[in-house]
Amino acid sequence: MRVKLLFSESLRSLGANLSTTIAATMTVLIGMFLLGLFIALGSWVVSWSDHVKRELLVKVFYVQDAKEAQINDVRAQLEADPRVKSVTFVSAEEALDRMRRKFPELTANLPSNPLPPSHEIVPVRGEDVDAIAASLRPTPPGVDKVKYGKQTADRILRVARVIEIVFLVAVIVLLVASTLLIANTIRLSIFSRRREIEVMKLVGATNWFVRGPFMLEGLLCGLVGSLVAVLLLLLGKELALPAILGRIESSSDVEALAFSTNALILLIVGLGVGALGSGLTLRRFLQV
Amino acid sequence: MTDSNLQTDVTQAAAVEPQNGIPADVSAEGTIDASIAGTMIVFEEVIKVYEPNVIALNDVSFVIDKGEFVFVVGASGSGKSTMIRLLLKELEPSSGRIFVGGRDLARLKQSKVPLLRRNVGCVFQDFKLLPNRTAGENVAYALKVQGESSANIRRKVPEALSLVGLSDKTGSLPDELSGGEQQRVSIARAVVNHPPLLICDEPTGNLDPDTSVGIMQLLYRINRAGTTILMVTHDREMVDKMRRRVIALEEGRLARDERRGGYESE
């Protein structure tokens, strides 16, 4: 009975205040659409920068006549390092093979193998290449050079960090902006109905009786707004994205946040902002 | 609806949500206070000071018994509105005590205030009807708020509307009604719960004299049926004609309290 009353009162006032209802729903829609777009875009970019970081390696080149014991010592030291994810041995023959595949014309006439054996070290975090390389200084016996492409690594890391910060700030700004925007729209719609609230209070409505329909209305606006936003994002993903991404070569491990997760976030934020926004705004008007 | 239907067990209805089964006439200390039994409104040395130091009511004391019809008169700013807002617990007095239906308002929890308001009907100069609801829905709203069943709502709303003589306007929106008709709808809404106390804040303030007489006759009938009426008014002629009890406020003080008074002291 109470639930029926709650719903009938909410639907009735949604219909009676159609323009504010539409305004509130559109605000939620726009806010959630932008937020969803940013989450998708941002998470893709962060994932891309992770991918690039993963390509960062430390290479340890040994002298041509390095003893096996010396090589094993270095390997043991590296494997004991918690920052190291994996250590791969590349023998001189293997290095030559790779070279042949990459640059066949350069290696065609080689009388002997000029390449040294080496270790390729993949760090757990791209940022650690510097530290891992430093741990091999001064170079242990048998080691010729330690390389990790210092300049390239530094640049990649710097760009990645900037991208992460920009993304984080943008999401926070967007979240705050859309919350304020939605709260403001709700406040306007409630303000235009403060007389109604006054009458409700005068005939002895409890605060929850007044608040219930308003919160349900906010909830419904939030639901519809974020659902449409999800729908638009889905359309964009299915129609616009292939046209753009068709030309960009992407590796399989670069991915945006799963669409379903993104959609779930938008729905929860939309519903929460709608219901809480109207509930909290009402508090000021309930002190009659 | 006949007048007798309006007559409710005042004592019972006045007990606004008795807590712990204590009858309303039992005061806070648990002893029966003879001075409160049988009264509807008691003001005891009430002072209301608005910040910073505007004195709206200054040491006002009076007792209104159940079933009385009382006019409150006074110039603008004499404290009449403050008195009404205190009675509805929209405001708290700075000092002094207020009892409504034997219940000390200071001891009434904020969460019980809606229950107080359901037992005090209110009629205002500007009607305060919901503009997008019909007359019938406006009256029904006061019942819905209390969680009344729809069967009861269907029965009580036509009763209240026929009491005020608007049975044929149930489906009209406030915009489609005249001022006097709108005020009748608001009276129907105020009495549909059979409240023991009806507070009227200048109910005829926006109406022409003929319409005002009709409204006064309606209020008179409601009063005869047992409802206590406290009416704030500027209508000199009406007060002089009715010869009822008059409480006059002047700059927040109780200037006059006469059994059968006129608008001005004689």
Side-chain angles (χ1 to χ4, degrees), chain A residues 226-251:
Chain A
S226 44
L227 269 180
V228 176
V230 166
L231 208 70
L232 285 179
L233 285 173
L234 190 67
L235 276 179
K237 181 186 148 82
E238 294 300 321
L239 298 179
L241 216 55
I244 302 167
L245 277 193
R247 288 157 223 283
I248 300 174
E249 201 184 327
S250 67
S251 351

Side-chain angles (χ1 to χ4, degrees), chain B residues 243-261:
Chain B
R243 287 287 145 186
R244 291 310 188 97
R245 180 173 174 194
V246 173
I247 290 176
L249 293 174
E250 260 171 42
E251 289 171 355
R253 289 185 170 278
L254 188 72
R256 189 157 55 91
D257 185 355
E258 291 172 345
R259 276 287 133 197
R260 299 183 92 69

